[in-house]
């Protein structure tokens, strides 16, 4: 045990980022069948199209119907082509919102899995209102009258992650990160030197522990030694254990209380003097 | 209605360095160089034209102080939360130093000024982002002041007008900065549920995390002509697609064409437009002849 403790303490944020970017890092496609049953994927935003970077649908968790919304990292070139390396377009966020509204109507909790380098930056994304799509999700999830639980599986990149991150409880896998911009982008903007990625990564406070300390996350889900890729089944069990506890807690709450707590969770984040 | 006369505003235009250049002639008076059409004109002429380029109509960046002067009824503005100043949530090296240097340079405590005022007699809450303060990036203070503006608008049952401008998130505040997007958007959603009127005026430049939060959530979204509005940085997109983007990409006009802006309004008509829109949203107004005769 003492050995394990020391090992964890030695891991730098940059080391964790390498674990998260490992080519065998499990994705939502690995976890889905291990955590949910009777899953049906639902496609499309009913406005423009279907975005492969975000999957959504209904299934059962321990027998209870739930809505699942997730950013999709590909496990190979083919999957990544379909999922655009988990960088959603506006229609992805709008699909997520459509399915969240559906969950609200049918009184199902929403479970979001965050795993993205960020929202896609491109001409089509701008034309179809990337900013508006993310903004709308932030506003609508804040007032969604059903429990929302979010879990960061790998990279939680900026607004593209936050669009699935307005929730009652946020958990992070042990090695996952959550950041305002990639460490590379941070170094490039603030120091005009993208090669200082590692240094940026280590001061940005992007780890699961940092997110808890900053009041952004409530829980850390343990990963097997060396990272989730060494044992996806155990990782899935750990995710299930967290979900069961969290859902039980949130479902039991009066909805007005839940919404006030959700609002205040974000309301109190910020450090200033007057 | 005709009181949109030019006001003599004493504060000097405080433009970006790249908008300023020494004039070629011997007088060496600083000249405004338009970033859209590259024409030059004197700051006095620019100020008389409400800082709008006389050649192409580009609505250039102005300070919060000047915005208040040309928008609010004279003497009506009351500032809220004036002294709020950022701390250093992720202990970013020398962030405090950067903040205090910006405070000295701009005379502002932070990148947004909020308060209440009247516009043609219409009482409202108002917030103005000032791009001269760290490109009006959104950190804890911008997030908190904007959130309070939404909450006060709901409590006081007053319309809220936000003039947005921002380079995006305040990188030096890390994840705390990102969370301000959720905080402000949540407050906007609550004001909307309370039935409050929220008008956004997109000014140059409105980008990144501010576009992806409260700037895009107005009941009515107005933009000033030719201003930059978008989510991703132009150079980031050009890097992705490996080609140059057209000039008008991410302009107010581009956003209107793609359906994300209700109307584009000239600065000289802004006061009148805002006052009219506020009046149009007063509760339970009936048709005149029906309430009279029946
Ligand atoms: Zn011009």
């Amino acid at each position: 045990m003492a050995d394990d403790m020391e090992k964890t303490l030695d891991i730098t944020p940059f080391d964790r980022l390498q674990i998260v970017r490992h080519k065998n890092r499990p994705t939502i496609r690995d976890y889905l069948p291990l955590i949910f049953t009777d899953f049906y994927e639902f496609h499309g935003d009913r406005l423009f199209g279907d975005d492969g970077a975000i999957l959504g649908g209904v299934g059962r968790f321990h027998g209870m119907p739930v809505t699942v919304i997730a950013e999709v990292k590909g496990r190979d070139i083919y999957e990544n082509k379909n999922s655009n390396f988990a960088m959603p377009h506006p229609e992805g966020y709008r699909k997520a919102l459509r399915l969240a509204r559906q969950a609200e109507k049918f009184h199902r909790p929403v479970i979001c899995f965050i795993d993205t380098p960020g929202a896609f930056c491109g001409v089509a994304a701008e034309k179809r209102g990337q900013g508006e799509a993310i903004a709308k999700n932030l506003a609508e999830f804040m007032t969604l009258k059903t429990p929302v639980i979010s879990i960061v599986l790998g990279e939680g990149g900026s607004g593209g992650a936050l669009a699935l991150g307005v929730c009652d409880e946020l958990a992070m896998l042990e090695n996952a990160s959550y950041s305002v911009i990639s460490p590379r982008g941070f170094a490039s903007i603030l120091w005009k030197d993208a090669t200082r990625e590692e240094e940026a990564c280590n001061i940005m406070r992007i780890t699961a522990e940092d997110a808890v300390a900053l009041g952004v996350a409530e829980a850390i889900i343990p990963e097997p030694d060396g990272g989730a890729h060494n044992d996806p089944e155990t990782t899935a069990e750990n995710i299930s254990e967290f979900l069961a506890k969290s859902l039980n807690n949130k479902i039991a709450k009066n909805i007005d209380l839940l919404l006030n707590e959700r609002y205040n969770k974000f309301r109190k984040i910020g450090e200033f003097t007057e | 209605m005709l009181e949109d006369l030019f006001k003599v505003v004493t504060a000097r235009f405080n433009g970006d360095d790249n908008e300023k250049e020494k004039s070629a002639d011997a007088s060496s008076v600083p000249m405004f160089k338009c970033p859209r059409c590259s024409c030059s004109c004197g700051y006095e002429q620019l100020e008389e034209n409400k800082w709008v380029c006389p050649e192409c109509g580009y609505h250039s960046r102005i300070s919060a102080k000047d915005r208040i002067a040309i928008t609010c009824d004279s003497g009506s503005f009351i500032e809220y939360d004036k002294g709020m100043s950022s701390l250093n949530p992720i202990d970013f090296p020398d962030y405090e130093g950067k903040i205090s240097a910006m405070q000295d340079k701009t005379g502002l405590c932070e990148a947004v000024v909020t308060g209440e005022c009247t516009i043609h007699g219409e009482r409202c809450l108002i917030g103005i982002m000032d791009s001269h303060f760290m490109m009006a990036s959104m950190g804890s203070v911008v997030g908190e002041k904007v959130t309070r503006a939404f909450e006060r608008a709901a409590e006081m049952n007053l319309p809220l007008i936000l003039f947005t401008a921002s380079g995006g998130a305040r990188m030096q505040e890390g994840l705390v900065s990102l969370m301000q997007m959720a905080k402000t958007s949540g407050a906007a959603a609550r004001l909307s549920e309370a039935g409050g009127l929220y008008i956004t005026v997109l000014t140059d430049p409105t980008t990144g995390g501010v576009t992806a939060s409260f700037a895009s959530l107005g009941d009515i979204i107005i933009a000033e002509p030719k201003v930059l509005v978008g989510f991703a940085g132009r150079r980031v997109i050009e890097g992705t697609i490996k080609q140059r983007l057209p000039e008008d990409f991410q302009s107010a006009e581009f956003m209107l064409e793609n359906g994300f802006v209700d109307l584009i309004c000239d600065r000289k008509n802004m006061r009148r437009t805002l006052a009219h829109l506020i009046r149009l949203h007063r509760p339970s107004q009936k048709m005149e002849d029906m309430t009279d005769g029946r």
Side-chain angles (χ1 to χ4, degrees):
Chain A
M1 200 60 207
D3 276 0
D4 283 351
M5 290 282 283
E6 269 173 38
K7 218 188 311 169
T8 346
L9 288 175
D10 282 345
I11 296 183
T12 67
F14 192 68
D15 295 335
R16 293 192 190 278
L17 196 63
Q18 307 318 306
I19 294 174
V20 155
R21 290 175 176 172
H22 191 280
K23 64 177 174 26
N24 294 332
R25 178 89 177 163
T27 73
I28 186 60
R29 298 264 182 221
D30 299 298
Y31 293 130
L32 258 179
L34 297 171
I35 300 173
F36 303 99
T37 54
D38 293 351
F39 184 75
Y40 288 84
E41 185 172 351
F42 295 159
H43 294 273
D45 66 348
R46 301 284 197 273
L47 297 162
F48 175 81
D50 186 45
D51 186 352
I54 291 186
L55 76 74
V58 294
R60 290 181 189 276
F61 178 74
H62 286 281
M64 179 178 65
V66 294
T67 287
V68 179
I69 299 168
E71 284 159 336
V72 189
K73 281 255 168 89
R75 293 168 295 195
D76 52 44
I77 265 298
Y78 175 77
E79 280 191 2
N80 267 322
K81 196 171 161 244
N82 285 327
S83 72
N84 195 32
F85 296 86
M87 292 183 284
H89 278 75
E91 51 271 24
Y93 297 118
R94 290 178 184 133
K95 170 166 70 176
L97 183 55
R98 177 177 79 82
L99 295 176
R101 285 279 173 230
Q102 189 186 66
E104 180 183 50
K105 176 177 174 184
F106 295 105
H107 308 285
R108 297 191 284 265
V110 178
I111 300 164
C112 294
F113 292 94
I114 295 167
D115 197 4
T116 178
F120 189 66
C121 296
V123 175
E126 292 293 317
K127 280 193 174 176
R128 298 201 286 275
Q130 190 71 289
E132 194 270 352
I134 294 171
K136 192 57 82 60
N137 276 22
L138 303 182
E140 302 276 313
F141 272 82
M142 193 66 89
T143 51
L144 195 77
K145 292 178 182 60
T146 196
V148 182
I149 315 285
S150 296
I151 298 170
V152 187
L153 294 178
E155 275 182 278
S158 197
L162 184 60
L164 300 187
V166 174
C167 58
D168 301 303
E169 188 163 8
L170 182 86
M172 299 197 35
L173 286 194
E174 191 181 332
N175 293 306
S177 61
Y178 200 179
S179 62
V180 66
I181 186 173
S182 71
R184 208 181 163 73
F186 188 90
S188 144
I189 288 177
L190 289 179
W191 300 325
K192 314 276 176 243
D193 183 358
T195 61
R196 290 167 73 184
E197 179 185 20
E198 180 168 355
E199 186 187 346
C201 185
N202 291 335
I203 70 156
M204 283 174 72
R205 301 195 62 196
I206 63 173
T207 66
E209 274 180 27
D210 291 324
V212 170
L214 293 168
V216 172
E218 283 72 34
I220 299 173
I221 299 173
E223 292 184 30
D225 275 354
H229 59 279
N230 285 335
D231 190 349
E233 287 77 15
T234 301
T235 311
E237 275 170 34
N238 295 345
I239 293 173
S240 287
E241 196 180 319
F242 161 75
L243 272 178
K245 210 161 59 181
S246 180
L247 281 170
N248 269 330
N249 179 349
K250 300 303 173 195
I251 287 166
K253 282 207 168 133
N254 165 286
I255 192 68
D256 292 329
L257 177 65
L258 189 76
L259 290 179
N260 274 331
E261 288 180 355
R262 188 186 302 165
Y263 183 75
N264 287 325
K265 165 176 148 68
F266 292 93
R267 178 71 186 83
K268 63 175 194 269
I269 300 175
E271 293 188 22
F272 51 86
T273 57
E274 297 189 70
Chain B
M1 289 313 107
L2 293 175
E3 67 181 78
D4 262 320
L5 299 167
F6 294 135
K7 292 199 168 179
V8 180
V9 182
T10 48
R12 287 299 303 165
F13 176 76
N14 185 13
D16 278 354
D17 292 340
N18 63 0
E19 287 178 9
K20 274 182 186 168
E21 63 167 22
K22 298 280 178 196
S23 68
D25 54 290
S27 64
S28 88
V29 176
M31 298 282 284
F32 169 78
K33 187 176 177 198
C34 176
R36 296 290 182 274
C37 74
S38 300
C39 82
S40 296
C41 75
Y43 278 98
E44 211 160 298
Q45 187 195 352
L46 189 71
E47 187 176 315
E48 273 175 25
N49 205 29
K50 297 199 175 191
W51 300 274
V52 174
C53 171
E55 283 298 318
C56 74
Y58 162 65
H59 281 47
S60 75
R61 298 168 190 180
I62 62 176
S63 69
K65 190 175 167 191
D66 291 338
R67 178 74 66 182
I68 289 163
I70 64 170
T71 307
C72 308
D73 293 339
S74 180
S76 73
F77 180 73
I78 302 163
E79 185 168 357
Y80 295 154
D81 307 313
K82 190 174 178 169
M84 196 188 291
S85 179
S86 194
L87 295 172
N88 192 354
I90 66 163
D91 298 316
F92 184 79
D94 199 36
Y95 182 45
E96 292 95 342
K98 174 96 183 165
I99 292 280
S100 79
M102 286 313 297
Q103 288 173 337
D104 291 344
K105 189 179 162 200
T106 61
L108 297 163
C109 262
E110 253 290 344
V112 69
V113 174
T114 56
E116 66 166 275
C117 69
T118 59
I119 300 174
H120 283 302
E122 299 299 325
R123 190 171 172 222
C124 61
L125 294 181
I126 189 166
I128 296 150
M129 301 180 81
D130 190 325
S131 62
H132 303 97
F133 192 100
M134 294 182 80
M135 264 327 286
S137 55
M138 175 157 64
S140 295
V141 174
V142 170
E144 180 69 20
K145 285 172 92 167
V146 167
T147 298
R148 287 187 191 180
F150 282 118
E151 290 174 345
R152 283 188 178 119
E155 280 160 26
M156 297 163 79
N157 199 17
L158 286 174
L160 170 64
I161 300 168
L162 291 182
F163 287 81
T164 63
S166 184
R170 179 78 53 88
M171 299 297 163
Q172 294 90 339
E173 293 190 31
L175 198 47
V176 169
S177 154
L178 183 68
M179 292 302 131
Q180 305 310 309
M181 291 169 63
K183 174 168 159 174
T184 53
S185 300
R190 287 199 155 194
L191 175 62
S192 186
E193 283 196 332
L197 170 64
Y198 166 40
I199 300 176
T200 42
V201 183
L202 310 178
T203 73
D204 200 57
T206 298
T207 63
V210 166
T211 298
S213 62
F214 61 87
S216 294
L217 295 171
D219 296 296
I220 301 164
I221 300 180
I222 301 174
E224 290 194 316
K226 309 232 168 162
V227 300
L228 171 70
V229 181
F231 172 66
R234 190 187 184 89
R235 263 167 296 174
V236 176
I237 300 173
E238 285 180 340
T240 310
I241 63 172
K242 309 269 187 280
Q243 61 189 49
R244 290 293 298 267
L245 289 160
E247 265 306 300
D248 68 341
F249 183 71
Q250 295 181 321
S251 63
E253 293 73 17
F254 171 93
M255 293 301 278
L256 183 97
E257 191 184 312
N258 285 290
F260 296 98
V261 162
D262 285 291
L263 64 128
I264 293 175
C265 180
D266 278 353
R267 203 167 274 169
K268 65 179 189 299
N269 295 321
M270 191 64 78
R271 264 170 60 77
R272 189 170 49 201
T273 302
L274 291 172
H276 274 167
L277 288 173
I278 290 172
R279 276 173 211 149
L280 277 164
H281 288 80
R282 276 199 200 123
S284 46
Q285 301 177 67
K286 300 197 173 68
M287 279 192 282
E288 280 157 12
D289 48 354
M290 283 184 69
T291 49
D292 289 346
R294 191 166 304 202

